[in-house]
Amino acid sequence: MNFVLLLLGLVGVARGYRILVVFPLPSRSHYILGNGVGRGLANAGHDVTVIAPYEDKNAPKNYKNVVLTGVEDALWKGEAKEKFNPVENGKVHPWFTMLFVLNFMGNHMIEKVLGHPNFQKVLKEQFDVVIVEQFRNDAMKALGCHFNAPLIMVSSVGVHTWVVADTGSPIPPSYVPDMSLSYTSDMNLLERGFNLLTQLVYYLNSYLLFYPAQKAVAQKYFPKCANNELIISNVSLYFINSHESTNEPVPAAPNMVNIGGYHISPPKELPADLKTFLDNAKEGVVYFSMGSNIKFSELGPEVTQAIVRAFKKIKQKVLWKYDGDELPGKPGNVKIAKWFPQADILAHPNVKLFITHGGLLSTLETIYHGVPVLTLPVFGDQRLNAARTEIFGYGLAIDFFELNEENFSDAIEKMLSDPKYFNTAKKRSVLFHDRPMKPVDSLVYWTEYIARHRGAPHLKVAGFNLPWYKYFLVDVIVVFVLLPVLLLYLLVKKLCSKASKRGQKKNKSD
Ligand SMILES: *[C@@H]1O[C@H](CO)[C@@H](O)[C@H](O)[C@H]1NC(C)=O
Ligand SMILES: *[C@@H]1O[C@H](CO)[C@@H](O)[C@H](O)[C@H]1NC(C)=O
């Protein structure tokens, strides 16, 4: 018996790596992703420490919470709140959001997080792998060097310029739209031009403004680790929170691994009242949630009342995640609550339509369960996600700021009456689940792989190390195209002038 215990102990030690997971953003949806990484790895037997602004009160026993207390207030209260109001941000140009809001947020948050006493304590521990969410926090890449452990980054929003800067993977502006725009892979001339310009602006912003500011912070907190560019961007692997069933396929270097959907657990039993509500909805149910950022109670009555009137007209029941205590004029078919177990509701067969802001988590969850979506995008990548659901054929979109009773009603009516949307969502769901291994197993496998091999330089494409003029073949174009053309031009010019001189001489001698 003792022998068996000893053996089990040894197996545990041999299998368990010490893994640090850092998801510092004070946003529930980002936390859900970080928590999913922590739980996935802890359930696989690893010793996981998760640094985040929130706590998992039911964490598995080898999952340690390190809570960044007060960081939530640092972003959502006072000076920062004014600048980082998502509803206001949704109305401005995406470049403005990137250059002012996200730069400000990233630089404002990084010191609050790195300097946090709970974070500082963790810096004295040791880890075999460090996993960090990539979201305008590049100074944290120095953690790999600090712990002398390989670094894995997680992109919560799919592939974009921040990711390819670390992997050297191509991101052709001809068909990969930037996440802040609402284009799809089918762009017209004007859109492709604007997409290219947007990429350029974002690169320039990163290299000229954002990275230098983050590097200064890294130098302050990790003086030994921020001396060269390579250390700051020494990323062994990227986990990408996306999948071909929900996102258009894009090129990815071998060190970019799609794990979209890993945070979703199989559905659980619904609370009794909700179960009865859903079971008894013979005509079906519409589930409506704008996530945690949109506060209907603070929006003013126009939008809310337009929505109320639209819901009054339909025969389906409605579940509405509503932040206020009371909804004036609430129709009989509508049930409100401040929180719903979203994934378990989407799993119920009577749910016919999901109305969402179109955050990536919601998009993934809806396809996991095969429910069509009406998206009301507000900001960030939501417009792009919405545009995708439209071209894939399982969704419609109305910009949240353009919503009125008429077009909201029309869209709901159309989606509930035309079976195309429901059937396409089901087809996409089948594609979502058809993979060589479950996304959470992929997360575990690749994390262990990176730990086992102490990094993965062999997965990095050479493009990562090329200077930009070589990467884009500017030198080749200069030497083999521009130079020959120039020489030819000079030659022709010379010959012409000789010919005309000869002509002049001839004229004179005549
Ligand atoms: C990059 O990370 C790997 C894995 O931790 C490490 O072996 C390597 O020395 C690092 N390179 C630099 C230049 O720090
Ligand atoms: C919804 O209505 C508003 C106001 O009439 C309009 O500006 C907007 O373009 C409409 N949106 C859609 C998707 O029909």
Side-chain angles (χ1 to χ4, degrees), residues 47 49 57 61 85 142 198 202 210 258 290 342 390 457 480:
D47 277 321
T49 300
K57 297 212 171 74
K61 74 172 186 331
N85 179 338
T198 301
Y202 290 1
F210 193 70
N258 267 348
M290 292 295 285
Q342 171 158 313
E390 288 191 297
F480 294 105

mmCIF file of all heavy atoms in Angstrom, residues 47 49 57 61 85 142 198 202 210 258 290 342 390 457 480:
data_model
loop_
_atom_site.group_PDB
_atom_site.id
_atom_site.type_symbol
_atom_site.label_atom_id
_atom_site.label_comp_id
_atom_site.label_asym_id
_atom_site.label_seq_id
_atom_site.Cartn_x
_atom_site.Cartn_y
_atom_site.Cartn_z
ATOM 1 N N ASP A 47 1.031 22.002 -10.961
ATOM 2 C CA ASP A 47 0.902 22.992 -9.892
ATOM 3 C C ASP A 47 0.792 24.362 -10.519
ATOM 4 O O ASP A 47 1.759 24.874 -11.075
ATOM 5 C CB ASP A 47 2.144 22.957 -8.991
ATOM 6 C CG ASP A 47 2.004 21.864 -7.962
ATOM 7 O OD1 ASP A 47 0.884 21.679 -7.456
ATOM 8 O OD2 ASP A 47 3.007 21.175 -7.706
ATOM 9 N N THR A 49 -0.186 28.453 -10.527
ATOM 10 C CA THR A 49 -0.424 29.704 -9.805
ATOM 11 C C THR A 49 -1.041 30.677 -10.799
ATOM 12 O O THR A 49 -0.453 30.926 -11.847
ATOM 13 C CB THR A 49 0.912 30.277 -9.279
ATOM 14 O OG1 THR A 49 1.492 29.310 -8.402
ATOM 15 C CG2 THR A 49 0.696 31.584 -8.541
ATOM 16 N N LYS A 57 -13.097 30.706 -6.357
ATOM 17 C CA LYS A 57 -13.337 30.217 -4.995
ATOM 18 C C LYS A 57 -13.474 28.703 -4.946
ATOM 19 O O LYS A 57 -13.318 28.102 -3.885
ATOM 20 C CB LYS A 57 -14.592 30.895 -4.424
ATOM 21 C CG LYS A 57 -14.427 32.407 -4.301
ATOM 22 C CD LYS A 57 -15.204 32.992 -3.129
ATOM 23 C CE LYS A 57 -14.850 34.450 -2.889
ATOM 24 N NZ LYS A 57 -15.424 35.389 -3.883
ATOM 25 N N LYS A 61 -7.391 21.744 -6.118
ATOM 26 C CA LYS A 61 -6.477 21.984 -4.991
ATOM 27 C C LYS A 61 -5.061 22.369 -5.419
ATOM 28 O O LYS A 61 -4.370 23.064 -4.701
ATOM 29 C CB LYS A 61 -6.462 20.791 -4.024
ATOM 30 C CG LYS A 61 -5.728 19.580 -4.514
ATOM 31 C CD LYS A 61 -5.629 18.553 -3.389
ATOM 32 C CE LYS A 61 -4.776 17.355 -3.759
ATOM 33 N NZ LYS A 61 -4.692 16.960 -5.151
ATOM 34 N N ASN A 85 -13.975 54.127 -21.117
ATOM 35 C CA ASN A 85 -15.385 53.814 -21.112
ATOM 36 C C ASN A 85 -15.723 53.117 -22.433
ATOM 37 O O ASN A 85 -15.682 53.725 -23.486
ATOM 38 C CB ASN A 85 -16.156 55.126 -20.972
ATOM 39 C CG ASN A 85 -17.643 54.895 -20.991
ATOM 40 O OD1 ASN A 85 -18.110 53.877 -21.493
ATOM 41 N ND2 ASN A 85 -18.374 55.832 -20.451
ATOM 42 N N ALA A 142 9.193 39.961 -19.888
ATOM 43 C CA ALA A 142 10.451 39.782 -19.153
ATOM 44 C C ALA A 142 10.318 38.708 -18.077
ATOM 45 O O ALA A 142 11.317 38.266 -17.513
ATOM 46 C CB ALA A 142 10.880 41.105 -18.531
ATOM 47 N N THR A 198 -4.001 50.672 -41.603
ATOM 48 C CA THR A 198 -4.264 50.396 -40.191
ATOM 49 C C THR A 198 -3.151 49.536 -39.598
ATOM 50 O O THR A 198 -2.639 49.823 -38.522
ATOM 51 C CB THR A 198 -5.629 49.696 -40.048
ATOM 52 O OG1 THR A 198 -6.625 50.550 -40.588
ATOM 53 C CG2 THR A 198 -5.954 49.404 -38.594
ATOM 54 N N TYR A 202 -0.613 50.658 -36.608
ATOM 55 C CA TYR A 202 -0.497 49.876 -35.374
ATOM 56 C C TYR A 202 0.940 49.413 -35.129
ATOM 57 O O TYR A 202 1.421 49.405 -34.000
ATOM 58 C CB TYR A 202 -1.454 48.677 -35.400
ATOM 59 C CG TYR A 202 -2.914 49.071 -35.292
ATOM 60 C CD1 TYR A 202 -3.299 50.409 -35.193
ATOM 61 C CD2 TYR A 202 -3.913 48.109 -35.273
ATOM 62 C CE1 TYR A 202 -4.632 50.772 -35.105
ATOM 63 C CE2 TYR A 202 -5.259 48.472 -35.173
ATOM 64 C CZ TYR A 202 -5.612 49.805 -35.094
ATOM 65 O OH TYR A 202 -6.931 50.166 -35.004
ATOM 66 N N PHE A 210 4.625 52.377 -27.974
ATOM 67 C CA PHE A 210 4.217 51.485 -26.896
ATOM 68 C C PHE A 210 5.365 50.632 -26.342
ATOM 69 O O PHE A 210 5.577 50.590 -25.134
ATOM 70 C CB PHE A 210 3.047 50.604 -27.340
ATOM 71 C CG PHE A 210 2.407 49.918 -26.185
ATOM 72 C CD1 PHE A 210 1.665 50.642 -25.261
ATOM 73 C CD2 PHE A 210 2.592 48.568 -25.969
ATOM 74 C CE1 PHE A 210 1.099 50.033 -24.155
ATOM 75 C CE2 PHE A 210 2.027 47.941 -24.860
ATOM 76 C CZ PHE A 210 1.286 48.676 -23.954
ATOM 77 N N ASN A 258 -3.953 27.013 -32.215
ATOM 78 C CA ASN A 258 -5.367 27.377 -31.998
ATOM 79 C C ASN A 258 -5.971 26.556 -30.878
ATOM 80 O O ASN A 258 -5.985 25.323 -30.955
ATOM 81 C CB ASN A 258 -6.179 27.071 -33.263
ATOM 82 C CG ASN A 258 -6.281 28.255 -34.181
ATOM 83 O OD1 ASN A 258 -5.946 29.375 -33.792
ATOM 84 N ND2 ASN A 258 -6.739 28.035 -35.386
ATOM 85 N N MET A 290 -25.574 41.376 -23.177
ATOM 86 C CA MET A 290 -24.552 42.264 -23.736
ATOM 87 C C MET A 290 -23.277 42.213 -22.898
ATOM 88 O O MET A 290 -22.512 43.182 -22.861
ATOM 89 C CB MET A 290 -25.092 43.693 -23.809
ATOM 90 C CG MET A 290 -26.206 43.890 -24.810
ATOM 91 S SD MET A 290 -25.685 43.628 -26.532
ATOM 92 C CE MET A 290 -24.767 45.138 -26.848
ATOM 93 N N GLN A 342 -24.647 31.399 -18.776
ATOM 94 C CA GLN A 342 -24.785 31.527 -20.226
ATOM 95 C C GLN A 342 -24.576 30.222 -20.990
ATOM 96 O O GLN A 342 -25.414 29.835 -21.805
ATOM 97 C CB GLN A 342 -23.790 32.586 -20.712
ATOM 98 C CG GLN A 342 -23.685 32.666 -22.218
ATOM 99 C CD GLN A 342 -23.143 34.004 -22.669
ATOM 100 O OE1 GLN A 342 -23.576 35.054 -22.214
ATOM 101 N NE2 GLN A 342 -22.194 33.982 -23.574
ATOM 102 N N GLU A 390 -22.069 36.967 -40.120
ATOM 103 C CA GLU A 390 -22.906 37.243 -41.294
ATOM 104 C C GLU A 390 -22.404 36.504 -42.523
ATOM 105 O O GLU A 390 -23.192 35.890 -43.235
ATOM 106 C CB GLU A 390 -22.972 38.752 -41.566
ATOM 107 C CG GLU A 390 -23.808 39.497 -40.542
ATOM 108 C CD GLU A 390 -24.097 40.938 -40.929
ATOM 109 O OE1 GLU A 390 -23.119 41.697 -41.043
ATOM 110 O OE2 GLU A 390 -25.285 41.282 -41.099
ATOM 111 N N PRO A 457 12.740 27.007 -29.817
ATOM 112 C CA PRO A 457 13.287 27.836 -30.904
ATOM 113 C C PRO A 457 13.147 27.145 -32.262
ATOM 114 O O PRO A 457 13.102 27.806 -33.291
ATOM 115 C CB PRO A 457 14.757 28.018 -30.505
ATOM 116 C CG PRO A 457 15.034 27.003 -29.449
ATOM 117 C CD PRO A 457 13.729 26.683 -28.799
ATOM 118 N N PHE A 480 17.153 44.031 -58.030
ATOM 119 C CA PHE A 480 16.791 43.304 -59.261
ATOM 120 C C PHE A 480 15.693 43.969 -60.078
ATOM 121 O O PHE A 480 15.448 43.582 -61.191
ATOM 122 C CB PHE A 480 16.376 41.863 -58.925
ATOM 123 C CG PHE A 480 17.517 41.053 -58.396
ATOM 124 C CD1 PHE A 480 17.613 40.754 -57.052
ATOM 125 C CD2 PHE A 480 18.526 40.619 -59.261
ATOM 126 C CE1 PHE A 480 18.676 40.016 -56.567
ATOM 127 C CE2 PHE A 480 19.595 39.890 -58.777
ATOM 128 C CZ PHE A 480 19.674 39.588 -57.424
#
